[in-house]
């Protein structure tokens, strides 16, 4: 199949690679062409604009940065919808605003184009191994049509409902992570101040009711002083901002999420924007 | 071995039962004698005071309610230390104050008695199945002597250091749980308000980076409106109070834990003291 892929950053490069390996002909656009080089060397076609990608393909995937990037890539003068035609499918895998996903869905539908919002979770490792969780919003029929493609990229693929539902699910995911990160840091800090051996403490607490992915995977990095990014602080702040804006629209107050956002913003202001989310441990320094 | 057991509530009854089944002769004291009936029917001996338990046994286990109960049971006029003699071992499995554990350790040592603090995690199910996590503070030699007994009760048994270290580890455990509970509730509430199918959302988010014991085990109960106690709100508040007092002594500010305590206290004030901790979901009602 002729497939467009826009955004070949850390995540996108691996995801596009899986589609290429499955035998699809890729048409690429990305802000920095060098990032696409490996895919281009293996036969992908370079396009000068998102519209040009859309002209030549049946399905277009996107995974870019911020919501305003998504907006530009889809709705800009040289955006995907400017080049797309009836019967095409467009799939945004960026973590972005549910309201923007609905907007793109409506605008696409006017042109006879099906749009899915399908953000992912699982990080660079999940992208590399093709084991991402994919949370999908849009029409059920479009989801079923896209499923074989999703299956080359991820392993936990769930249809969540109408346009925007994929993004809402991802927000729910980020909300659960955010507040738990505070708990993981506080549990470790307490143990450290109490003079305990932190590795032994993890042995006691990480397999029971206090257990979590973050406690098992990020607490050991905190202990080792390894704050290299798996997931960037700056990206997490972006996600928390979207979640809080959406919650406000629903009239929902989320004190845990608000606290986490405030703490991460303070951390970023102190120069930790490019650190991994486990750097929250340094908030107390 | 002649073993004393004080406190045969939900947890204690199962734990004492494992010791009895392993062939030990039990000497019991508990506030409400009926709660010990099953064990008495199987040959345990009833004692009228903790001191009387101590007089007749080599090792005394305790698992009672609040720190002031622990204090009374150990240091009261008819308490364990009033009846204990050189070479004996006493093991408190109540979740209680690290400073009290150190105090008991010192007082016991003056009489030639070894004291361990060994709080547990794993709830009534863990107690029933003998799979509790046991976090132990005190002398290493005493720990090693007690290990075969611990192994009849639990499965994840870790020596954490000097007197009080077991309690500190349990506090670290409760701190990690507390803040995560807010995140689990907020993730579900957001998803609910967004009109998503909550079971589907859990399918997407509970196996990845947002995953936690609470999300897998308590979120489904929240969705079903099942707020029956596994772990009581009132007991959780007691633990959070101890943790915050200890943190303050160390000069450590824990904003996540403080928020969780405040929210749970509000919940308790609204009549949910006897609910399970997953009732935090009702905080937003």
């Amino acid at each position: 199949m002729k497939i467009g892929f826009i955004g070949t950053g850390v995540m996108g490069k691996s995801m596009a690679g899986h589609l290429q390996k499955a035998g699809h002909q890729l048409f690429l656009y990305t802000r920095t062409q060098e990032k696409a080089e490996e895919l281009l060397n293996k036969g992908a076609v370079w396009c000068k604009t998102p519209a040009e990608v859309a002209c030549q393909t049946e399905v277009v995937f996107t995974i870019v940065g911020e919501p305003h990037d998504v907006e530009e890539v889809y709705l800009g003068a040289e955006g995907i919808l400017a080049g797309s035609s009836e019967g095409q499918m467009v799939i945004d895998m960026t973590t972005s605003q549910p309201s923007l996903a609905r907007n793109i869905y409506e605008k696409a539908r006017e042109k006879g184009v099906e749009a899915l919002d399908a953000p992912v979770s699982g990080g660079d490792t999940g992208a590399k191994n093709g084991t991402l969780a994919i949370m999908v919003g849009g029409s059920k029929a479009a989801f079923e049509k896209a499923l074989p493609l999703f299956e080359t990229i991820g392993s936990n693929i769930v249809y969540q409902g109408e346009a925007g539902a994929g993004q809402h699910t991802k927000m729910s995911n980020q909300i659960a992570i955010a507040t738990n990160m505070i708990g993981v840091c506080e549990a470790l800090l307490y143990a450290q101040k109490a003079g305990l051996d932190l590795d032994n403490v993890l042995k006691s607490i990480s397999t029971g009711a206090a257990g979590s992915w973050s406690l098992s995977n990020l607490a050991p990095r905190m202990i080792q002083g390894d704050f290299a990014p798996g997931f960037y602080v700056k990206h997490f702040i972006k996600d928390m901002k979207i979640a809080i804006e959406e919650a406000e629209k629903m009239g929902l107050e989320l004190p845990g999420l608000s606290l986490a956002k405030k703490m991460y913003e303070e951390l970023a202001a102190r120069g930790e924007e490019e650190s991994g989310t486990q750097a929250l441990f340094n908030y107390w320094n």
Side-chain angles (χ1 to χ4, degrees), chain A:
Chain A
M1 197 185 282
K2 288 181 173 178
I3 292 181
F5 208 103
I6 295 174
T8 51
V10 179
M11 300 290 289
K13 206 172 87 172
S14 297
M15 294 156 78
H18 291 302
L19 291 164
Q20 192 175 50
K21 221 184 294 166
H24 299 291
Q25 170 65 50
L26 293 187
F27 294 76
L28 302 181
Y29 171 80
T30 197
R31 250 189 319 216
T32 324
Q33 193 176 340
E34 298 88 71
K35 287 191 180 171
E37 215 154 284
E38 216 180 303
L39 296 160
L40 294 171
N41 289 340
K42 287 183 184 159
V45 176
W46 175 256
C47 304
K48 287 194 300 293
T49 66
E52 213 180 279
V53 170
C55 279
Q56 307 178 70
T57 52
E58 295 164 67
V59 178
V60 182
F61 286 91
T62 55
I63 182 160
V64 295
E66 307 258 342
H68 65 83
D69 299 315
V70 174
E71 204 169 355
E72 175 73 23
V73 156
Y74 276 91
L75 310 175
E78 298 186 310
I80 292 167
L81 291 189
S84 64
S85 52
E86 209 176 319
Q88 195 170 28
M89 177 141 62
V90 296
I91 303 171
D92 184 30
M93 305 189 91
T94 319
T95 296
S96 170
Q97 293 160 339
S99 52
L100 177 57
R102 282 193 300 274
N103 188 19
I104 290 168
Y105 174 86
E106 293 300 341
K107 292 254 163 61
R109 186 142 260 205
E110 286 167 18
K111 295 199 67 171
V113 172
E114 278 287 2
L116 293 173
D117 51 298
V120 298
S121 138
D124 50 350
T125 322
K128 237 178 232 155
N129 302 334
T131 56
L132 292 167
I134 309 179
M135 313 157 199
V136 190
S139 88
K140 188 77 190 275
F143 168 76
E144 272 155 15
K145 211 171 134 193
L147 191 54
L149 297 176
F150 285 141
E151 284 169 344
T152 68
I153 295 171
S155 61
N156 182 17
I157 302 150
V158 184
Y159 176 70
Q160 292 289 352
E162 60 187 19
Q167 295 297 351
H168 274 313
T169 304
K170 181 67 190 284
M171 288 301 120
S172 173
N173 187 74
Q174 302 307 74
I175 292 167
I177 292 174
T179 316
N180 187 37
M181 283 302 298
I182 306 175
V184 167
C185 290
E186 293 189 355
L188 275 195
L189 275 159
Y190 176 97
Q192 192 178 52
K193 276 273 191 183
L196 302 178
D197 178 296
L198 298 186
D199 292 319
N200 276 342
V201 170
L202 288 186
K203 264 183 224 160
S204 277
I205 74 173
S206 61
T207 57
S212 65
W213 186 93
S214 295
L215 193 67
S216 295
N217 291 278
L218 299 182
R221 297 190 205 172
M222 293 175 191
I223 295 173
Q224 286 152 29
D226 169 9
F227 301 112
F231 185 50
Y232 284 100
V233 165
K234 63 182 178 184
H235 292 156
F236 197 31
I237 290 174
K238 173 203 80 171
D239 295 355
M240 288 189 281
K241 272 186 191 161
I242 297 173
I244 283 185
E245 282 165 19
E246 292 289 328
E248 274 171 5
K249 280 186 214 166
M250 304 171 188
L252 186 61
E253 231 180 284
L254 301 177
L257 178 62
S258 301
L259 177 62
K261 178 167 160 280
K262 192 180 128 269
M263 292 171 76
Y264 270 105
E265 282 172 342
E266 259 185 71
L267 195 71
R270 286 195 251 141
E272 298 250 30
E273 274 206 321
E274 308 282 332
S275 301
T277 52
Q278 72 274 23
L280 186 63
F281 194 60
N282 297 328
Y283 173 85
W284 283 261
N285 281 352

